[in-house]
Amino acid sequence: MHPNPTSRILTAALTLTPAEPEHHDEAYLATTQDCPWPKAYGGDLVAQAAVAAIRSVGGDRTLHSMHSYFMRPAEIGGEVRYEVEKLRDGRGFSTRQVRAYSGGRLAYTALASFHTGEHSGEHEASMPEGLPDPESLPSSADYLEPRQPGTDEAGDMTKESKAYWSFGRGFDMRHVPGPVYLTVEGGAVPHQAIWVKPFDALRPVPGLSPAARDLAALAYVCDYTILEPVLRLLDLPWATPGLVTASLDHAMWFHKPAEMDGWLLYAQEAAAAGSGRGLGLGRFFTRDGRHLATVAQEGIIRPR
C-alpha cells in the first residue's frame, strides 16, 4: 500500500480555470491526470465537462442528466479547453452543450440538463442484497501487492499500471466477486459490484459547492470500471496481452445528491457485447440503499 494514498488527483481534475471563449458563451481550461495508458482517462473529460456546465448555470438548479461522446483521445497531462454553449434557460430547466478541445482538435462533446426540482411521486431501484461489507474485502492494493510484473500471471501489467490500480486513482475500490486486473476472479458472469470510497476527505474545489463537487466526483469515478462487467463476461482481465479498450459514449442520470464521504456501492451489469463493442450499465447506492445515480456506457473491447 502507498504510504499516503490520497484523493488529490480528483481535486486537480475538477479544478477548472475560466478562459476567454473562442467558440461559444463560456470557456474553461483543465488538465488531464497522469495514467499509464496511451490516452487520458475518460472520466477526466466527463467530470471536467460536468464542472464546466455546472459553473455556467445558477445555483437554483442541479445537473440531472448528461450524455457524452468521445471522439478523439485526449493528451495525458495536457490542457483541455471546455467551451460551453448555453442552449436554453427556462423556468425549471437549463440545457448546456460542452465541447472539449485537446491539442486544438475536438475530442469530446456532451449535452447536460439541469432542473430546479419539484414535488412528485418517488421510486428507486433496489440495492443488491447479500453482498459482503467493504471492510471484509481486499483493496486493489492488497490484492495486487504480492503479484509482480513480468510473471506469467501478471500478463501485460507493468510496474506503473500496478501502482495506478493500487493507489493512483484517488479511490479505494473493492470488487465483488473479485477483481479483473490479472485474472477474472469470481467467474465469467455478466455482473459485479464495487465498493468505492475516496482515499481521504475531498477537498474544496474552486467554483463548486460541496454538493456540486461530490456530484462531479461521482461522474469522475464512474468510468474506471463501467466496462468491467463486459470484460468479466468475456473472460478478459485488464492485463490480457494486447487488449484494447476505449470509451465511445456515456450517459449518466443523477437522482439524488451524491455524498462522497463514505462507501458507495457501484452495482454493474453487462447489457450487450458484440461487433467489438460492449455496453455496461451501473447504479450507485449509498450504504443504506439510496439510489444516487445510473450510468450507461459503450466502449470498444478489442482482444488481440
Side-chain angles (χ1 to χ4, degrees), residues 79 160 164 169 171 187 199 287:
E79 184 179 82
E160 291 75 19
Y164 183 71
R169 299 182 287 185
F171 292 83
F199 280 129
R287 198 161 183 173

Side-chain angles (χ1 to χ4, degrees), residues 19-218:
E20 190 68 25
E22 296 179 354
H23 307 285
H24 297 293
D25 299 306
E26 294 187 14
Y28 300 88
L29 303 178
T31 303
T32 58
Q33 304 306 296
D34 288 338
C35 66
W37 322 124
K39 57 186 180 299
Y41 167 53
D44 276 339
L45 302 180
V46 174
Q48 290 169 354
V51 172
I54 289 168
R55 291 179 62 170
S56 76
V57 301
D60 66 328
R61 53 201 65 199
T62 58
L63 181 64
H64 74 88
S65 70
M66 188 168 173
H67 299 262
S68 310
Y69 278 94
F70 301 85
M71 290 174 284
R72 292 185 179 91
E75 179 186 354
I76 296 172
E79 184 179 82
V80 180
R81 167 179 284 270
Y82 292 89
E83 293 270 348
V84 182
E85 183 178 5
K86 298 181 179 181
L87 297 181
R88 179 178 183 267
D89 283 309
R91 287 182 298 176
F93 288 88
S94 291
T95 309
R96 299 290 186 264
Q97 182 157 28
V98 185
R99 298 171 176 87
Y101 298 85
S102 176
R105 300 202 303 168
L106 185 61
Y108 165 95
T109 187
L111 282 170
S113 182
F114 296 78
H115 189 208
T116 56
E118 53 195 82
H119 295 294
S120 69
E122 293 192 4
H123 170 76
E124 61 182 6
S126 298
M127 181 176 177
E129 297 179 349
L131 299 179
D133 293 334
E135 293 84 359
S136 69
L137 298 169
S139 67
S140 297
D142 291 336
Y143 172 80
L144 290 169
E145 193 279 329
R147 294 163 169 84
Q148 299 303 318
T151 63
D152 289 341
E153 177 192 31
D156 270 2
M157 183 179 73
T158 63
K159 179 181 177 182
E160 291 75 19
S161 59
K162 177 180 178 179
Y164 183 71
W165 286 330
S166 296
F167 47 74
R169 299 182 287 185
F171 292 83
D172 191 344
M173 302 185 196
R174 306 189 178 196
H175 286 71
V176 182
V180 293
Y181 297 124
L182 309 184
T183 60
V184 175
E185 303 283 344
V189 295
H191 54 80
Q192 66 173 22
I194 302 173
W195 289 103
V196 178
K197 184 179 73 170
F199 280 129
D200 56 8
L202 299 186
R203 296 154 184 80
V205 174
L208 296 182
S209 67
R213 175 206 60 197
D214 287 3
L215 183 151
L218 206 61

